[in-house]
């Protein structure tokens, strides 16, 4: 569906000052870049300017390997910008982590196989062998690293080596029922996407559907977020909810929740791989 | 809209056993009661039977002042039932408590004035004079009881006397920014309806919209519940949510939340005054 | 997940009269059937009684092959009932029809493979070879019947023979882009489930997302329904919607709509295979 | 809540060309206007640029009565722009039209009285006397123009005279059950906001809830739109939906729909009075 595109994608934020947008768009235009996407937003409370801009490189005067350097020198310094530069033809490389539930995994692989997502998924990692059959159906290598208290550090070491070997840019925890260690989180800052099966910040931690049942809520939810060191407290990317009644028992909540989880996780992954998310102050700015 | 109806309304729950439903409907039918509403539900985890049944009294053989007694003797004892009996022509009498925000108050009074609700609203109580003009527009007495730490017990005493005088059956806290004392809660068990401006149990306590903004959620909510001694922890009646984005500042959340609050509160009040809510284990069973 | 259960499942409707519910439950109980599900509903406009009841057969006195006969003789005649009797261990057998889009097919097969659904899916039928690779991943036979104006009757003949051979009880059109002939519809009355990619009755027929885009709606939807002879006019089972903005182009609507379609179709199929849907007057009564 | 602000508000659209945004923001900035709002959008299918920009006039060099002229001369001509200029301290003046249902009227007046809306509402017009008591509660003049087939043209003439006298800029049809004549529509192009009690384009015309009940939909909706000569076919501003079940009869739909109608209408009016809506090709572009 979405072919690789010969484009540059720039996400930036900086203190808002007059003229930034004009200067940046001008820089691209006069160097013969054809702008195909522009979305900007000003946080008027903190006075921060956010922008995502994408342009075609075909006739762009500056060589792609020098854009980062030029932009830093000409604008980022001047405006105290943080920015990230991506290229439309350098696809994100995702490792999916799973445990025993398959619904999120299937949903992602269906999109991937159907060509909806411009990504590569070189491997799946699990602490259990249960979902190997799913990986096999889609011809994706499946690695099992059983985790115990004793071997956790050691196993994560091996996982990280495997991730590095495969040039993984993004980790998706598709109902992976293990807490990621700080060390791995530091290696993938805002690059690990989790799905939590509650409407955060309600029902943090284990068994949120049972917590929801106990509390007698009338709506349940799911939340995808970037993983940070504090449990279930990272920047929220996407949330969705569904109505329940007193007739729903915990098992019903689990079933209804599954549909939320897979949709919410896939929406989050999609925004991430489109490079449309910018994290600021433990919150996400999501471009259209 | 809904006229007073000469009906009996029975809500009950008890351990589930075969034959309860048949016996109760039979009791009504053979005594010439015309059943116009029946909804039942079995909680199969706890094995509890819940029922709401309403029947016309016109030709009912048992005099209305003896129904309670007969039903208790014949069925409630036998089945270890808890039950409540209401009459369709004895309307709930509501006292609305407000502080300074008018949106929930207006919404309730508009429904009341339009005849949508079969209730009486004899009075409005506030800790501030600000909304007297609203009460005046609808010709409803407005009483001001300013609350301080020092006078709280004394003022609540006066409020309770006023409520008793007016035969109040139900208290609605329509964004009343005071915590109700245990004593008043005990006098109106599951008879005080509150609206909390968050998706409980997220963001309990003060300034939930600011908490929501800080956390960066993508959806906000409102929750109506019966007031119990534990803050914001009573049985939830109704919840609703609305989607927000990073572009919404706290003031935007307040504005969007207002529509949620009034709708959620009014839906809860409506279910309550229709006597379609049964509280069990700090949760609500809500009949259709 | 849901094992085969040795139960009888009875769906019925008839003119409402006092005592039906009591008699039916009594019939089951005194014959030593253990009721594990009961939901009833009275349409007070048409005065019709609807019920779904399920009971365990282990100690049931009446042999399973005589229940239909006994129930007909004892109650159905007396109350002018329409009823259907199913057994919990006789699973629905589904044929999935597809064209070229895989999202609904993947969603159904993921649920099936994960054991969420108590069904059998013996085969997939298509007018195109495109999705054979999906069927192969799940080891399900895939039959291609290319349809042209000329060969349509003949090809449907073959399809129906194949369906009959395989004991198919239910057909699911998972974005099958062909109109089903009256003859096949007559053979599977309320047994063919379709997903239409609009919020029916808006945007009937072809290219509903483009119609929605042209009209400038702010919300799009998807609708699952039983197929009847009138196009997109059969009894609606389930609908869901998602918010869009002026920024969404037709391709965005297609992408957003896909998630709706698969969720709505799978919810409908689930209700159907649980035998919780009763069709009355071109509308569905859906039990909890 | 929202005080009058000494600002200029500019809405424009034109064929997209590089530099427009930069030129316009530059024009404002170098003339000492402080930009407090900017939202832009490019329709990449039609290649149209849309923008809303608002700036403080306190130190703006160009006198407010010349801004229109300058902007036209300097930019609108050059870029073939359509634009509208408003001032933050010139409030919209709304006439509300009603028939017999009060819920939308109350909702609007509650917001108005609470100071949520920066508007003036000098008068209410009706074809029935029924809601005069509501107008009286809020001290707003209420004019009755009974409409018959015979007197329609004549009565509308009088209404239009009254509207002109009162400097009405915007007409809100708050469940006004009359069709507006072409002549009045022409006088207020995209200045008449209607609420239709269905999810358009489903159920155009009379009694949409009864149509929805007949069709057996599982979700109902409400739609606010600008009135054009074709019935219920004008540019859609806002839509919202609520889930229903087979248990809801037409009267239930009416009750549930009322909450939709008032929220949807008020959201539309709010966007309109904030001057955040731009109509293009019978569709609305709505700025954040």
């Amino acid at each position: 569906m979405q072919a690789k595109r010969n484009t540059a994608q720039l996400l930036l934020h900086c203190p808002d000052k007059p003229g930034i947008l004009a200067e940046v768009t001008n820089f691209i235009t006069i160097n013969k870049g054809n702008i195909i996407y522009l979305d900007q937003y000003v946080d008027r409370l903190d006075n921060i300017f956010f922008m995502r801009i994408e342009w075609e490189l075909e006739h762009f005067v500056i060589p792609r390997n020098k854009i980062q350097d030029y932009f830093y020198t000409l604008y980022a310094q001047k405006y105290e910008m943080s920015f990230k530069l991506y290229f439309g033809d350098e696809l994100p490389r995702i490792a999916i982590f799973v445990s025993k539930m398959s619904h999120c995994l299937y949903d992602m692989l269906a999109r991937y196989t159907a060509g909806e997502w411009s990504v590569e998924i070189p491997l799946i990692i699990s602490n259990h062998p249960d979902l190997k059959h799913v990986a096999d159906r889609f011809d994706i290598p499946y690695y099992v690293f059983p985790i115990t208290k004793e071997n956790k550090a050691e196993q994560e070491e091996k996982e990280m080596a495997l991730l590095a070997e495969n040039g993984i840019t993004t980790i998706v925890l598709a109902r992976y029922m293990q807490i990621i260690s700080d060390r791995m989180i530091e290696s993938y800052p805002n690059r690990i996407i989790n799905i939590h099966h509650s409407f955060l910040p309600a029902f943090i931690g284990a068994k949120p559907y049972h917590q929801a049942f106990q509390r007698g809520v009338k709506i349940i939810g799911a939340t995808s977020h970037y993983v940070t060191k504090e449990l279930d407290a990272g920047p929220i990317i996407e949330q969705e909810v569904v109505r329940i009644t007193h007739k729903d028992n915990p098992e019903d909540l689990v079933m209804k929740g599954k549909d939320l989880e897979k949709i919410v996780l896939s929406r989050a992954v999609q925004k991430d791989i489109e490079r449309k998310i910018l994290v600021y102050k433990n919150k996400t700015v999501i471009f259209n």
Side-chain angles (χ1 to χ4, degrees), chain A:
Chain A
M1 176 122 348
Q2 296 179 22
K4 292 184 185 187
R5 293 186 301 201
N6 182 22
T7 60
Q9 300 159 334
L10 186 65
L11 281 88
L12 65 86
H13 66 93
C14 60
D16 187 32
K17 279 183 197 153
I20 300 174
L21 195 149
E23 275 200 46
V24 172
T25 54
N26 211 32
F27 162 72
I28 293 165
T29 306
I30 61 171
N31 289 300
K32 302 194 195 295
N34 182 33
I35 295 171
I36 59 169
Y37 180 99
L38 172 65
D39 196 14
Q40 53 77 234
Y41 159 67
V42 178
D43 177 338
R44 301 211 178 269
L45 293 178
D46 285 358
N47 204 41
I48 305 292
F49 175 81
F50 298 87
M51 182 163 73
R52 183 190 186 282
I53 190 162
E54 182 170 1
W55 66 98
E56 292 172 336
L57 292 177
E58 200 183 349
H59 304 292
F60 199 54
V61 170
I62 304 169
R64 64 192 279 161
N65 63 352
K66 293 197 173 158
I67 299 174
Q68 170 89 19
D69 186 41
Y70 277 48
F71 191 77
Y72 175 76
T73 307
L74 296 173
Y75 303 102
Q77 283 187 315
K78 176 174 171 189
Y79 287 109
E80 298 172 82
M81 274 178 197
S82 298
F83 76 99
K84 279 195 185 165
L85 179 70
Y86 301 95
F87 294 101
D89 53 8
E90 294 178 2
L91 301 189
R93 293 175 64 81
I94 292 180
I96 305 178
F97 281 51
V98 295
S99 286
K100 293 184 174 180
M101 301 184 80
S102 61
H103 56 292
C104 289
L105 179 61
Y106 269 127
D107 199 68
M108 292 182 67
L109 296 182
R111 292 170 200 266
Y112 177 50
T113 309
E116 284 182 28
W117 281 356
S118 299
V119 292
E120 281 155 12
I121 304 182
L123 62 103
I124 296 167
I125 286 177
S126 181
N127 52 337
H128 294 290
D130 302 54
L131 299 183
K132 182 168 190 312
H133 75 99
V134 182
D136 288 349
R137 289 179 204 279
F138 292 85
D139 302 314
I140 298 177
Y142 184 88
Y143 298 90
V144 181
F145 295 90
I147 306 270
T148 63
K149 228 181 266 178
E150 288 70 33
N151 73 3
K152 182 160 186 168
E154 190 188 339
Q155 293 289 66
E156 279 204 349
E157 196 95 356
K158 287 183 199 163
E159 287 171 0
M160 289 180 66
L162 185 63
L163 298 175
E165 264 168 49
N166 283 276
I168 295 303
T169 60
T170 310
I171 296 169
V172 177
L173 308 180
R175 296 300 309 276
Y176 179 63
M177 307 305 279
Q178 291 287 325
I179 291 176
I180 302 295
S181 72
D182 286 3
R183 221 188 119 210
M184 197 183 286
I185 294 169
E186 280 162 17
S187 302
Y188 292 88
N190 294 327
R191 303 307 316 138
I192 306 175
I193 300 174
N194 185 41
I195 179 71
H196 185 73
H197 41 311
S198 86
F199 186 76
L200 286 177
F203 310 129
I204 285 171
K207 289 201 161 259
Y209 291 128
H210 290 77
Q211 293 182 53
F213 177 76
Q214 284 307 324
R215 180 63 189 90
V217 294
K218 299 300 185 185
I219 288 174
I220 57 169
T223 304
S224 58
H225 63 94
Y226 290 118
V227 174
T228 56
K229 293 181 190 175
E230 192 181 341
L231 183 65
D232 295 335
I236 292 172
I237 305 170
E238 171 66 345
Q239 301 187 291
E240 191 54 274
V241 297
V242 71
R243 192 165 280 274
I244 59 167
T245 77
H246 61 270
K247 297 185 184 177
D248 290 299
N249 60 39
E251 198 181 320
D252 295 327
L253 302 199
V254 169
M255 289 303 296
K256 288 194 173 182
K258 277 182 180 177
D259 282 353
L260 289 179
E261 293 161 28
K262 73 187 182 193
I263 297 297
V264 167
L265 180 59
S266 286
R267 281 187 196 155
V269 170
Q270 180 155 351
K271 280 292 181 186
D272 183 87
I273 63 184
E274 291 174 359
R275 285 105 177 210
K276 288 191 174 165
I277 309 177
L278 204 155
V279 173
Y280 176 72
K281 276 188 163 184
N282 205 45
K283 300 203 275 189
T284 58
V285 169
I286 298 183
F287 295 102
N288 282 121

